[in-house]
């Protein structure tokens, strides 16, 4: 069961649970209206109220019927309902018992709480267990009335008994035993333990402190060691490790390092912490102990890397070239006489900013030994140590396209050949700018020339000549005649249709062969013998098998044939045969096809131009074995076209 009490803040400065208002271990919960709720404990004793400030009364909720009386111990969650005197039974509607017992028999088990029913004549009587009383053992005996709990313990009456809730420090059924807190030996480091009520006291040994004497006293906590000394803590004592220069129990004494008179040659000793310093002023000596005679050159009085010559109480500086002065402190101005001609910039070698960096003027690093002199930075067109030399700009051959170069001061001039212009003759003159072509012919610019692309029927340099060469031409029927005009003479050229060749297209190049027929073609032989074995031809057929081309003889040959509609090339030589095939759509479809077989780069290559191959021809290639030689000899100067 949960017991909850509602409360409000005790003052405007607190809100909700900020003031921890719940007592007896109650849990506080803030509410949205600024108030709070106390969830009161129920064990070992139940509390109630807005702040859990009072023992819970189980009878406050009127849990018994109207004809019964509620009985409950303070702080207990349970209760009992008792009948009024003279009545008994579950609903208190049975007549009461008299001096001679209760009416009725033991058969109905009238005794409560484990009481024993005893027959008495026509009635019965109840023998109650300890803790219960009444005619039917229905009343709980309040054992707390006799005050059984000792040492300030809280007595809580239970049905049939009681419980003692001891205050801290006591135990036992009646809280009659004082707990010995020293029995667990809580005191450390050989301290003495004194038992107290609900507690104990430790009498610590020297050097220790704390509730259980568990803490060693840190004698160094007060920082007894002075002047930076380190403290070592002991048991009831401490030791100081002094910083250099100090001594004493607490490092409070400064050691006098001048006591041993360390300074020589009349030097004055000045004592400091853990050190001393010798003042050698006016003694003519120096050093930590004034033991070294002063050398004037040791202070490096000479500047710009000059040499110092030590004397008796003085010194002399020997300057490097380019510097002068008592200490060689003055840099001589080598550019004072404007040595650089034609506007050149004079740069002194002693200027250290001109060395190193991203774009150094002088190479390497600066050196005082080479700081004398100057360098002239010449304007474009001039060179030499003092910029006295005029640079010949034509040496770089700036004029292009055969132009002639003329040198000028800090410049040049190109004399261009006909057809070119520009500073370096790099511009081709546009000879078409004057529109020399007639009859709308496009003009193509050249070098000091132009070409007119004349329309049909017109010719000549500027397309002004009417072409008449095709009048009475000899081109065969079906060929196209194109008129020409060369060297002032009219002529014509024949453009042959497919299947014809020659000046007048009279020579046929297309043959129709029946199965079993062939055409023998003689091949020209040059001075170096027959050319490489290769063939390129166009063909059309409806036969799936047949020879398209053969070159050679029965011993060695190159053949191109159709096998089941696919293209096949075969190279035969003594003791070997090399074949290539192209798997493509059937070529025996009656349409024109172009094929090529060739021996190239020590390999046999087979090409086919077909729409299935895309923009490039289909290609198969196989390298030739070393023993396979290309076709040669007289037998290879002839070839057969068509089946044989």
């Amino acid at each position: 069961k949960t017991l909850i009490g509602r409360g409000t803040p005790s003052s405007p400065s607190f809100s909700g649970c900020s003031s921890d208002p719940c007592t007896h271990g109650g849990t506080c919960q803030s509410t949205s209206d600024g108030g709070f709720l106390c969830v009161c404990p129920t064990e070992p004793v139940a509390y109630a109220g807005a702040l859990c400030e009072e023992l819970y009364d189980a009878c406050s909720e009127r849990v018994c019927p109207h004809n019964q009386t509620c009985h409950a111990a303070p702080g207990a969650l349970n209760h009992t309902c008792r009948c009024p005197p003279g009545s008994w039974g579950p609903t208190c509607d049975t007549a009461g018992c008299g001096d001679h017992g209760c009416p009725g028999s033991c058969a109905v088990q009238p005794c409560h709480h484990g009481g024993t029913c005893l027959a008495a004549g026509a009635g019965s009587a109840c023998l109650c267990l300890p803790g219960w009383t009444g005619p039917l053992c229905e009343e709980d005996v309040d054992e707390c009335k006799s005050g059984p709990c000792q040492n300030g313990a809280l007595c809580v009456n239970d049905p049939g008994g009681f419980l003692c809730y001891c205050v801290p420090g006591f135990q036992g059924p009646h809280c009659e035993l004082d707990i010995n807190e020293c029995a667990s030996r809580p005191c450390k480091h050989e301290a003495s333990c004194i038992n107290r009520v609900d507690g104990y006291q430790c009498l610590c040994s020297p050097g220790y402190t704390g509730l259980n004497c568990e803490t060693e006293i840190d004698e160094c906590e007060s920082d007894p060691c002075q002047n930076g000394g380190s403290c070592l803590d002991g048991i009831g004592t401490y030791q100081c490790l002094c910083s250099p220069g100090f001594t004493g129990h607490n490092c409070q004494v400064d050691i006098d390092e001048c006591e041993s008179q360390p300074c020589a040659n009349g030097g004055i000793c000045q004592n400091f912490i853990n050190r001393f310093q010798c003042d050698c002023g006016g003694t003519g000596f120096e050093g930590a102990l004034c033991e070294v005679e002063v050398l004037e050159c040791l202070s490096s009085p000479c500047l710009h890397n000059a040499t110092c010559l030590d004397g008796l109480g003085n010194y002399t500086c020997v300057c490097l070239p380019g510097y002068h002065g008592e200490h060689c402190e003055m840099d001589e101005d080598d550019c004072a006489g404007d040595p650089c001609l034609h506007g050149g910039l004079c740069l002194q070698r002693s200027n250290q900013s001109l060395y190193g960096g991203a774009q150094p003027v002088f190479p390497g690093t600066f050196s005082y030994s080479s700081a004398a002199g100057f360098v002239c930075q010449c304007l474009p067109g001039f060179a030499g140590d003092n910029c006295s030399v005029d640079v010949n700009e034509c040496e770089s051959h700036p004029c292009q396209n055969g132009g002639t170069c003329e040198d000028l001061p800090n410049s040049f001039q190109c004399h261009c050949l006909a057809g070119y212009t520009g500073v370096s003759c790099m511009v081709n003159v546009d000879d078409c700018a004057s529109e020399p072509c007639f009859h709308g012919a496009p003009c193509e610019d050249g070098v000091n020339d132009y070409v007119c692309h004349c329309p049909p029927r017109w010719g000549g340099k500027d397309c002004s000549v009417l072409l008449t060469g095709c009048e009475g031409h000899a081109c065969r029927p079906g060929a196209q005649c194109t008129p020409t005009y060369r060297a002032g003479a009219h002529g014509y050229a024949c453009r042959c249709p497919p299947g014809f060749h020659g000046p007048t297209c009279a020579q046929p190049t297309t043959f129709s062969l029946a199965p079993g027929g062939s055409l023998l073609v003689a091949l020209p032989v040059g001075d170096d013998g027959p050319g490489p074995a290769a063939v390129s031809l166009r063909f059309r057929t409806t036969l799936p098998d047949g020879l398209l081309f053969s070159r050679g003889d029965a011993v060695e040959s190159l053949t191109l044939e159709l096998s089941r509609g696919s293209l096949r090339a075969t190279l035969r030589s003594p003791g070997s045969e090399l074949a290539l095939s192209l798997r493509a759509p059937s070529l025996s479809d009656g349409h024109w096809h172009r094929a090529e077989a060739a021996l190239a780069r020590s390999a046999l290559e087979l090409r086919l131009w077909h729409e299935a191959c895309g923009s490039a021809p289909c290609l198969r290639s196989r390298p030739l074995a070393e023993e396979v030689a290309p076709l040669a000899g007289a037998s290879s100067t002839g070839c057969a076209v068509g089946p044989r």
Side-chain angles (χ1 to χ4, degrees), residues 48 71 157 211 214-215 239 274 468 488 560:
H71 293 269
N157 183 53
L211 178 64
E214 74 280 4
T215 304
Q239 179 183 358
N274 191 34
T468 61
L560 185 63

Side-chain angles (χ1 to χ4, degrees), residues 42 142 166 184 186 214 283 319 364 400 424 434 477 481 520 586 592:
T42 58
D142 188 2
C166 305
S184 62
E214 74 280 4
T283 63
C319 304
Q400 304 177 23
S424 301
S434 62
C481 179
L520 181 63
S586 176
W592 284 101

Side-chain angles (χ1 to χ4, degrees), residues 150-173:
Q150 304 176 23
N151 297 309
L154 174 65
C155 182
V156 177
N157 183 53
D158 272 351
F162 68 96
L163 290 175
C164 291
Y165 293 94
C166 305
V167 297
F170 294 92
Q171 61 182 359

Side-chain angles (χ1 to χ4, degrees), residues 172-188:
H174 299 88
C175 304
E176 72 278 8
L177 300 177
D178 180 14
I179 298 174
N180 184 9
E181 285 79 8
C182 287
S184 62
R185 297 182 179 180
C187 302
K188 309 296 181 183

Side-chain angles (χ1 to χ4, degrees), residues 300-306 315 317 319 323-330:
S300 300
C302 301
L303 304 178
H304 299 118
N305 210 26
Y315 60 91
C317 292
C319 304
Y323 298 96
H324 65 280
E326 181 181 358
H327 299 95
C328 305
E329 73 279 6
M330 301 180 66

